[in-house]
Amino acid sequence: MIRFALCFFCLLYTQYSLSQTRYTVSGTVKDAATGETLIGASVKIKELQTGTSTNAYGFFSLSAPAGKYELVTSYLGYTTQSVTIVLVKDLRQNIELTAGGNELQEVTVSAASSGNENVSGVQMGVEKLNMSTINSVPVVMGEKDIVKTIQLLPGVKTFGEANTGFYVRGGGADQNLILLDEATVYNASHLFGFFSTFNSDAIKDASLYKGGMPAQFGGRLSSVLDIKMNDGNNKQFGVEGGIGLIASRIKVEGPVVKNKGSFMVSARRTYADMFLGLSADTTVRGASLYFYDINAKLNYQFNEKNTVYLSGYFGRDVLGLRRLFSTDWGNVTGTFRWNHLFSNRLFLNSSVIYTNYNYVVESLSNSNDFRSTSTIRDVNLKEDFQYFINNRHSLRFGLNAIHHTILPGSISTSQTSSFNSKTIESRYGMENALYISDDWHISSKLNVMYGLRASWFALLGPGTFNTYNEDGDVQSAKHYGGGRTVANYVSLEPRLSAAYTFNDRNSIKASYNRNTQNIHLLSNSTTGSPMDAYIMSSNNVKPEIADQLALGYYRNFRDNVFEFSAEVYYKWLQNQIDYRDGAQLIANENVESQLLYGLGRAYGLELFLKKKYGNFNGWLGYTLSRTERKFDAISNGNYFPARQDRLHDITAVGIYKLNNRWTFSGTFVYGTGNAVTFPAGKYQVAGMTTFYYTERNGYRMPASHRLDLGATLEGKPGKKFRSSWTFSVYNVYSHKNPYTITFQDKENDPTRTEAVQTSLFGAVPSVSWNFKF
């Protein structure tokens, strides 16, 4: 490893030495009206046909021999800008783009920021979500949602009807790393998954990595959803929001110091509980049913080399029935970042990040009262460097150290309760990583991004740690003092992506990446229950490992108006977790005794066709895939379908701009049924029917499909005030998609069994009024 690093730096030093006669133009690309930095903007030197994209903070750096050049900057939804520069020394050139031009009609889902970036870019399996597209897609109850839009992309499968949970390329629910301004969000759902925690008003940029994951990301096997919050308008104050049938929202932003610092505060709350108060039933009238979330961000630029950011998210769900039970759960995140430019080539982002997710469940019955709590808390330090060596090499390297604290659960009761109090020991861990990667433009046709991530996980005391045998029985128990190491795991995670461009319309790409995961979700639910338990890798639980190979073909048509891609992938999974029959996962101090360990595999084909320009645009997506697991104690040790296994998925999205005031949209989705375990027979015990099960996930739920339609009417524009109305109908033809299927004795003939399907939604209309001033 050390020898490899020395050779690597020698190569880069040689490349740098040969480029000493070149000069560098660097700067930041921003929105001219708001001062928001633009992520992924394309910056090119026209005469040399060389270019780059701005990083996550809008910074770019390009090198060229001395001379006079035209610097061309473009970004989707903005007018392309050209500026003449004279390079006789290193130059600082900040750029402000104005919204407008033909790009306003683009629908962007891929990582493209120039016309053919999907063809020429080295990364594959990455999708960038455009916020205007998200706001146009009709969803249940009218709440615009990043995660609901992600579910319309190839390779992404849903948990179930109207649910925000998602699986990516065969991975489990917990194998997606969800980041909000670099802070991990452990439970990204409201109301048991019907809404996500992300208020679209507060979001600037979102990218989903399905494969070819860059080395700076780690800790999860399947995907990274990287979401950036708006910085706030540093030019002028503004207010916007909306009032809907289920929720209302508001955002306030403005300058702290004009052109140097800004703030943004966005809030959202549902109010179903207010309608419950009108019920004649006193129990219902006293019920709680709402969620709220608040996004806040503050930034200040001291000078061209130093900028600081402070952002946070606060969200909570509260559900309960008066004098019966209550449950509430929520996330708190905080991120402090410092951007520093050591030079026009070397960029540093330092971050200190706090994450806290917890839940509280209470039973209020006099004889059965209890209060159960659980928490997962992270403190994270990151140092991310980006070194623009020259136009052929862009180097990223850094380190990451996370301290995990998991309080698995405590149960407190009163003296009259039939339950006993219980406290389960907390668990502590350190997760550290070093990474390095190079984006190497070998020639005009061949680009390679290669890197290595080295991760080290340590489970720490204090606590008593059991060792279990294959039957789940305790073999030994050992107590460790505070700070002592219980288990150590070191992993090397190579990352490689390559793209060969035949011409500006055709390319092929390939990628390989290995990922490891040391935080594991224990859940038998498919709906993202707030009571899901988390555990860390231990002396019994090994880190999960995934190796993924992918190959893709990319083709653009008609001057980049149409984009087409076809990707195939194969994923090997090790140390996967499943549960023994009848496993008890909640408030169990020996929960690791309930676990089984095995293998997995996932493979598939993803087709994607998108129209980017014109009054009518949208995309078609198709996924053909298989996801399987293998455990010695399940299905006789043979591979069996995972619960997220689904053979066919089809999505269609269309957006039609009729004129300056009316925009219409529609989505259609179809998916074959998820794998499920149904009973194979039944028997009677003391007059009660008991079902027995044989083959794991050997049956299929019925196929699901629906059509959603929406329309937006823009109000007549005023000098300072703008408004619009959004109308939508979810599941227009009211198809009863399966949510659950249960089995029971037939009422008229108990010897026969009937299946009972539960569906959540028929047609659901919604309307909201949006405003901005």
Side-chain angles (χ1 to χ4, degrees):
M1 175 67 182
I2 296 175
R3 185 176 300 172
F4 167 79
L6 289 174
C7 294
F8 186 76
F9 277 110
C10 286
L11 171 65
L12 296 179
Y13 180 77
T14 302
Q15 292 280 345
Y16 177 69
S17 299
L18 294 174
S19 62
Q20 289 296 297
T21 58
R22 301 167 71 90
Y23 299 102
T24 299
V25 55
S26 62
T28 303
V29 181
K30 296 184 177 182
D31 183 306
T34 66
E36 287 275 358
T37 56
L38 300 179
I39 302 171
S42 173
V43 184
K44 293 184 177 182
I45 297 176
K46 183 177 180 180
E47 289 79 2
L48 301 179
Q49 287 299 300
T50 187
T52 188
S53 296
T54 56
N55 67 8
Y57 297 92
F59 179 78
F60 73 91
S61 178
L62 279 170
S63 298
K68 184 177 181 180
Y69 301 102
E70 186 176 352
L71 193 68
V72 181
T73 306
S74 60
Y75 190 71
L76 292 168
Y78 291 76
T79 301
T80 298
Q81 182 183 115
S82 297
V83 60
T84 300
I85 60 172
V86 179
L87 276 183
V88 293
K89 61 179 181 178
D90 289 345
L91 176 67
R92 179 77 177 186
Q93 181 71 50
N94 294 325
I95 299 167
E96 292 191 343
L97 297 183
T98 303
N102 292 332
E103 292 91 345
L104 280 173
Q105 297 177 355
E106 295 177 355
V107 173
T108 305
V109 181
S110 75
S113 30
S114 60
N116 70 336
E117 180 67 19
N118 64 304
V119 171
S120 61
V122 67
Q123 285 189 320
M124 62 182 303
V126 58
E127 316 285 359
K128 183 174 179 179
L129 304 178
N130 181 277
M131 297 310 300
S132 63
T133 302
I134 292 170
N135 291 332
S136 298
V137 173
V139 293
V140 65
M141 299 182 187
E143 281 299 297
K144 308 306 179 185
D145 201 308
I146 289 176
V147 178
K148 295 286 180 61
T149 307
I150 285 172
Q151 293 172 350
L152 299 173
L153 299 173
V156 183
K157 300 180 184 293
T158 66
F159 277 13
E161 177 78 3
N163 199 284
T164 56
F166 61 98
Y167 305 101
V168 176
R169 290 187 172 179
D174 64 326
Q175 293 173 359
N176 305 308
L177 178 62
I178 302 176
L179 300 174
L180 179 62
D181 270 6
E182 301 183 30
T184 301
V185 178
Y186 281 96
N187 188 330
S189 66
H190 285 306
L191 293 182
F192 296 101
F194 292 126
F195 305 94
S196 83
T197 57
F198 306 116
N199 180 357
S200 62
D201 286 351
I203 304 306
K204 172 165 66 175
D205 181 86
S207 298
L208 176 70
Y209 297 86
K210 301 181 295 182
M213 199 176 297
Q216 65 265 28
F217 297 115
R220 298 297 186 275
L221 299 190
S222 291
S223 75
V224 176
L225 177 57
D226 187 20
I227 300 173
K228 307 292 187 185
M229 289 166 51
N230 284 317
D231 297 330
N233 192 321
N234 67 14
K235 307 282 187 179
Q236 59 184 2
F237 289 94
V239 179
E240 64 180 281
I243 300 173
L245 296 179
I246 189 69
S248 290
R249 64 192 194 278
I250 189 168
K251 181 176 78 171
V252 181
E253 61 181 344
V256 176
V257 177
K258 193 171 183 179
N259 296 321
K260 292 182 70 68
S262 61
F263 76 93
M264 184 277 299
V265 178
S266 178
R268 176 177 60 161
R269 191 191 191 277
T270 59
Y271 29 71
D273 52 322
M274 299 180 183
F275 296 103
L276 297 178
L278 303 176
S279 173
D281 189 320
T282 57
T283 300
V284 174
R285 191 163 61 242
S288 301
L289 179 63
Y290 66 90
F291 72 77
Y292 68 86
D293 44 46
I294 301 170
N295 297 80
K297 194 166 184 178
L298 179 70
N299 72 88
Y300 184 78
Q301 183 179 15
F302 291 95
N303 50 49
E304 286 194 340
K305 291 189 174 183
N306 295 280
T307 305
V308 294
Y309 301 82
L310 180 63
S311 59
Y313 168 82
F314 313 89
R316 203 81 191 163
D317 283 68
V318 179
L319 293 88
L321 284 176
R322 187 177 184 181
R323 294 187 298 274
L324 293 177
F325 81 93
S326 71
T327 177
D328 66 271
W329 70 92
N331 296 277
V332 175
T333 72
T335 305
F336 174 78
R337 285 172 292 176
W338 169 45
N339 286 179
H340 178 67
L341 279 176
F342 289 98
S343 70
N344 51 20
R345 295 174 185 265
L346 183 58
F347 180 92
L348 168 65
N349 175 60
S350 298
S351 304
V352 179
I353 305 160
Y354 174 80
T355 296
N356 185 296
Y357 167 69
N358 66 16
Y359 71 77
V360 179
V361 177
E362 287 187 280
S363 171
L364 306 177
S365 171
N366 290 332
S367 59
N368 295 306
D369 67 282
F370 69 85
R371 177 184 172 90
S372 176
T373 61
S374 182
T375 301
I376 180 168
R377 183 184 305 122
D378 292 345
V379 178
N380 186 357
L381 172 66
K382 293 179 63 180
E383 298 289 338
D384 295 308
F385 293 85
Q386 193 166 3
Y387 184 30
F388 300 89
I389 299 173
N390 52 45
N391 294 343
R392 297 181 64 186
H393 289 278
S394 177
L395 187 69
R396 298 195 66 156
F397 57 96
L399 59 87
N400 185 201
I402 308 174
H403 184 271
H404 298 290
T405 302
I406 296 181
L407 288 69
S410 64
I411 299 176
S412 58
T413 63
S414 69
Q415 294 181 347
T416 60
S417 176
S418 60
F419 295 106
N420 296 321
S421 297
K422 176 187 286 188
T423 299
I424 301 175
E425 290 183 335
S426 298
R427 292 291 185 247
Y428 307 92
M430 280 297 303
E431 190 167 14
N432 307 307
L434 297 170
Y435 74 87
I436 186 169
S437 68
D438 179 28
D439 188 355
W440 182 15
H441 294 260
I442 299 175
S443 70
S444 60
K445 291 185 176 295
L446 181 60
N447 296 341
V448 175
M449 180 183 290
Y450 60 102
L452 181 67
R453 183 181 181 90
S455 62
W456 166 57
F457 177 82
L459 180 66
L460 306 174
T464 300
F465 296 83
N466 297 331
T467 300
Y468 303 94
N469 61 22
E470 292 183 356
D471 297 322
D473 301 321
V474 177
Q475 280 189 320
S476 62
K478 185 176 180 180
H479 181 79
Y480 291 80
R484 288 192 59 195
T485 301
V486 180
N488 265 315
Y489 297 101
V490 177
S491 304
L492 296 179
E493 305 173 23
R495 312 287 173 85
L496 175 65
S497 298
Y500 184 82
T501 304
F502 298 101
N503 50 48
D504 60 359
R505 298 183 303 278
N506 293 271
S507 69
I508 57 172
K509 302 180 187 181
S511 68
Y512 165 76
N513 57 270
R514 166 170 280 206
N515 292 277
T516 60
Q517 180 167 331
N518 289 287
I519 301 293
H520 316 283
L521 173 67
L522 304 183
S523 173
N524 276 323
S525 168
T526 60
T527 59
S529 167
M531 294 182 65
D532 291 341
Y534 291 88
I535 61 171
M536 289 183 272
S537 296
S538 69
N539 51 317
N540 300 294
V541 182
K542 303 297 188 292
E544 298 177 73
I545 302 173
D547 295 273
Q548 182 179 177
L549 277 173
L551 179 68
Y553 171 70
Y554 303 82
R555 173 68 189 269
N556 286 3
F557 304 89
R558 289 181 55 190
D559 296 327
N560 300 319
V561 171
F562 290 92
E563 293 180 356
F564 171 78
S565 66
E567 295 185 17
V568 293
Y569 67 90
Y570 196 101
K571 185 185 293 185
W572 297 265
L573 299 159
Q574 302 177 49
N575 303 328
Q576 298 300 284
I577 296 174
D578 211 308
Y579 316 112
R580 300 180 187 275
D581 292 337
Q584 172 57 41
L585 304 180
I586 306 300
N588 184 353
E589 65 268 27
N590 293 313
V591 69
E592 292 182 9
S593 69
Q594 307 292 296
L595 306 182
L596 301 172
Y597 310 101
L599 305 174
R601 63 188 182 191
Y603 46 94
L605 165 70
E606 298 170 6
L607 303 178
F608 195 37
L609 176 64
K610 177 176 61 175
K611 184 176 184 292
K612 297 196 301 179
Y613 304 103
N615 290 332
F616 178 78
N617 44 56
W619 68 87
L620 293 171
Y622 170 69
T623 305
L624 173 70
S625 63
R626 280 296 188 200
T627 303
E628 298 172 313
R629 298 291 186 264
K630 182 179 181 181
F631 295 83
D632 291 340
I634 301 175
S635 296
N636 298 317
N638 298 316
Y639 274 103
F640 63 90
R643 67 185 181 189
Q644 64 267 33
D645 179 66
R646 205 159 61 216
L647 185 60
H648 300 288
D649 280 276
I650 300 171
T651 58
V653 177
I655 300 173
Y656 177 62
K657 188 176 180 61
L658 178 65
N659 51 43
N660 290 332
R661 297 192 64 189
W662 279 103
T663 300
F664 298 93
S665 60
T667 64
F668 175 79
V669 297
Y670 171 88
T672 50
N674 286 354
V676 65
T677 303
F678 287 158
K682 64 181 180 179
Y683 54 90
Q684 296 286 324
V685 177
M688 299 291 293
T689 298
T690 301
F691 294 96
Y692 70 89
Y693 301 82
T694 54
E695 188 177 3
R696 178 73 68 95
N697 291 342
Y699 298 85
R700 293 281 164 178
M701 298 282 277
S704 60
H705 52 87
R706 72 171 196 276
L707 173 67
D708 308 329
L709 296 176
T712 298
L713 173 62
E714 297 287 343
K716 294 182 178 179
K719 292 183 178 180
K720 294 185 178 180
F721 183 82
R722 291 189 299 168
S723 67
S724 65
W725 288 90
T726 300
F727 311 91
S728 67
V729 180
Y730 178 89
N731 196 4
V732 170
Y733 52 82
S734 195
H735 179 68
K736 301 300 182 182
N737 289 305
Y739 186 70
T740 62
I741 294 180
T742 58
F743 293 83
Q744 63 186 30
D745 293 336
K746 194 171 180 63
E747 184 175 355
N748 298 329
D749 185 0
T751 62
R752 301 180 62 187
T753 302
E754 62 180 357
V756 180
Q757 175 178 304
T758 300
S759 300
L760 292 180
F761 299 108
V764 181
S766 63
V767 60
S768 61
W769 177 64
N770 310 291
F771 59 88
K772 184 175 183 179
F773 58 87

